[in-house]
Amino acid sequence: MTLKDGNYTVVATVYQGEKLPVVIKIKHGKISRVSSQNTLPETSLNRQVLATLSDEICHTQNLNIDSVSGASYSTSGILTAVKTAVRQAGGKIKDLAEPRNLNRKDASKRTNTSNYMNWRETPKNVTRELNTDILIVGSGISGLAAAVQSGELGLKTIVIEKNAFVAGNGGGIEGIFGVETQMQKAAGIQSEPEKIIAREMELAQYRPDGSFWVDLVQHSAENIEWLVKNGVRFDRVDDYSGICEFPTFHWFEGNVASKGYVPYMKERADRYGVKFLLSTPAYNICYKIIVLKAFMLKIKMVLSKLMPKQ
Ligand SMILES: Cc1cc2nc3c(=O)[nH]c(=O)nc-3n(C[C@H](O)[C@H](O)[C@H](O)COP(=O)(O)OP(=O)(O)OC[C@H]3O[C@@H](n4cnc5c(N)ncnc54)[C@H](O)[C@@H]3O)c2cc1C
């Protein structure tokens, strides 16, 4: 499909109904750039989203793409604007909508993408190989914690993140749950772990596995102390400003993880030598290698049990 060349300006409706004029540049019949008509501040989320979407759309000429984590409204609004521009340029959306996950940079190199088994094939054109002990996919709030823990354990660690920035959805969270923490003790809060577990189970109509709650509650203080040890900063602990039943909510510094959690955890992971590869999405994991390694390890363990010690 060839689109009519030109700059198409379409107003996208993004987060909270904000209007964002987007310029879609068509050159040589293809989408060659998606950008804002106005200069956006460097810290603007819409700027990040535009950069990510522009890169992906121009590279793949495909509009069936994943939302940018933590920015689903902006992603959807900008994609709608691009679709409008495509129609204005005489194109059809269906021609730019390969099935999800098959539209990435290397999709064209795969043989038969409709066969699930082929997704597990080792890619034919490997441009770079990296060896690591641990590979973490996603640098949201959990990925960052895993990165710090892995670094702490002295393991060679790589984190791959599809966005051009770390934090994921977790950047916007306000705080975390904890029972019998140092902060609560300092604030004179009496914790009631059994009551909390019982109430949570009751509220969820006894559907969750109770052992999950016991585990979470029993280790929550340990988690928070570990975060503090790794530089995370908290402001206070309360009952979510009077909304919750128990005073278990530990507020991050500045009331948001992007201030109290993300920068400190990223800094700590960097210090441990964890390598972050941003703008690097994972498409499929060749877990057969891991299975093979685990199998070999098992054989070694069995052999070492069978072999008499020298
Ligand atoms: C409105 C709202 C408020 C919330 N408030 C709180 C709160 O106050 N406290 C709390 O504890 N929880 C809160 N939560 C829940 C919390 O946001 C999530 O539990 C948390 O963000 C999950 O962290 P995560 O790291 O698993 O996922 P995310 O933070 O979403 O991170 C996932 C990361 O993986 C990346 N990724 C995804 N796919 C790929 C791929 N294929 N290749 C490479 N990278 C990839 C993403 O880009 C992203 O960076 C809230 C949730 C919402 C919606």
Side-chain angles (χ1 to χ4, degrees), residues 69 137-143 160-163 165 167-177 240 249 280-283:
S69 296
V137 179
S139 64
I141 204 128
S142 322
I160 59 172
E161 166 57 53
K162 71 176 179 179
N163 280 335
F165 51 91
N169 289 311
I173 75 171
E174 298 160 299
I176 57 172
F177 167 88
Y240 197 69
F249 198 77
T280 308
Y283 301 122

Side-chain angles (χ1 to χ4, degrees), residues 1-308:
M1 177 188 63
T2 304
L3 302 170
K4 194 164 171 253
D5 284 1
N7 285 332
Y8 298 81
T9 304
V10 183
V11 178
T13 305
V14 291
Y15 186 55
Q16 291 189 327
E18 193 195 327
K19 302 292 177 198
L20 179 73
V22 175
V23 181
I24 298 98
K25 183 174 182 176
I26 312 278
K27 197 175 165 189
H28 305 309
K30 292 194 182 313
I31 305 169
S32 71
R33 191 159 178 233
V34 181
S35 58
S36 166
Q37 193 182 42
N38 310 320
T39 310
L40 298 174
E42 260 187 42
T43 49
S44 147
L45 181 63
N46 286 331
R47 183 179 165 137
Q48 306 270 11
V49 177
L50 271 168
T52 306
L53 291 183
S54 179
D55 183 45
E56 187 148 352
I57 292 170
C58 299
H59 206 98
T60 60
Q61 295 299 305
N62 195 323
L63 299 180
N64 193 6
I65 54 183
D66 275 351
S67 275
V68 176
S69 296
S72 45
Y73 285 108
S74 295
T75 307
S76 155
I78 293 167
L79 275 176
T80 305
V82 177
K83 286 178 187 170
T84 305
V86 166
R87 283 191 210 98
Q88 288 173 359
K92 287 196 179 118
I93 303 306
K94 70 173 173 50
D95 294 334
L96 292 172
E98 267 189 63
R100 200 173 276 264
N101 287 335
L102 299 178
N103 56 355
R104 307 296 184 156
K105 292 172 190 171
D106 58 349
S108 59
K109 293 169 192 155
R110 295 192 199 132
T111 41
N112 177 3
T113 47
S114 63
N115 181 348
Y116 174 73
M117 293 309 286
N118 286 338
W119 297 4
R120 299 162 73 183
E121 278 176 8
T122 306
K124 292 194 172 51
N125 299 311
V126 176
T127 52
R128 197 169 158 208
E129 277 192 35
L130 299 168
N131 288 314
T132 187
D133 297 326
I134 300 279
L135 175 70
I136 297 167
V137 179
S139 64
I141 204 128
S142 322
L144 281 173
V148 170
Q149 190 173 22
S150 179
E152 193 178 56
L153 293 170
L155 298 166
K156 193 173 166 192
T157 308
I158 294 178
V159 181
I160 59 172
E161 166 57 53
K162 71 176 179 179
N163 280 335
F165 51 91
V166 300
N169 289 311
I173 75 171
E174 298 160 299
I176 57 172
F177 167 88
V179 182
E180 296 187 306
T181 64
Q182 295 294 339
M183 280 178 71
Q184 285 174 321
K185 285 177 194 158
I189 293 170
Q190 295 284 335
S191 293
E192 299 168 298
E194 294 79 14
K195 263 196 184 173
I196 294 170
I197 296 168
R199 186 73 179 122
E200 291 289 356
M201 290 299 288
E202 188 190 351
L203 287 170
Q205 300 182 352
Y206 303 96
R207 279 173 299 182
D209 180 347
S211 63
F212 164 79
W213 269 108
V214 173
D215 188 52
L216 180 68
V217 168
Q218 281 181 348
H219 291 97
S220 58
E222 203 182 298
N223 284 341
I224 291 187
E225 310 323 343
W226 179 79
L227 291 175
V228 171
K229 190 185 95 187
N230 281 299
V232 172
R233 296 191 188 169
F234 293 93
D235 271 345
R236 64 194 185 285
V237 52
D238 67 12
D239 50 359
Y240 197 69
S241 305
I243 293 171
C244 295
E245 212 171 314
F246 300 100
T248 55
F249 198 77
H250 295 65
W251 293 87
F252 290 121
E253 181 183 70
N255 295 345
V256 67
S258 58
K259 290 192 179 153
Y261 178 99
V262 175
Y264 302 114
M265 290 296 268
K266 173 70 169 55
E267 189 269 333
R268 191 56 58 110
D270 287 341
R271 217 192 300 164
Y272 282 128
V274 173
K275 188 170 183 169
F276 285 82
L277 301 177
L278 302 180
S279 305
T280 308
Y283 301 122
N284 51 20
I285 312 287
C286 299
Y287 54 88
K288 60 187 172 187
I289 297 167
I290 299 165
V291 172
L292 185 66
K293 276 196 179 154
F295 181 63
M296 295 301 286
L297 193 70
K298 186 110 185 143
I299 291 179
K300 270 192 194 163
M301 280 163 63
V302 172
L303 284 177
S304 66
K305 277 191 187 149
L306 292 177
M307 299 279 206

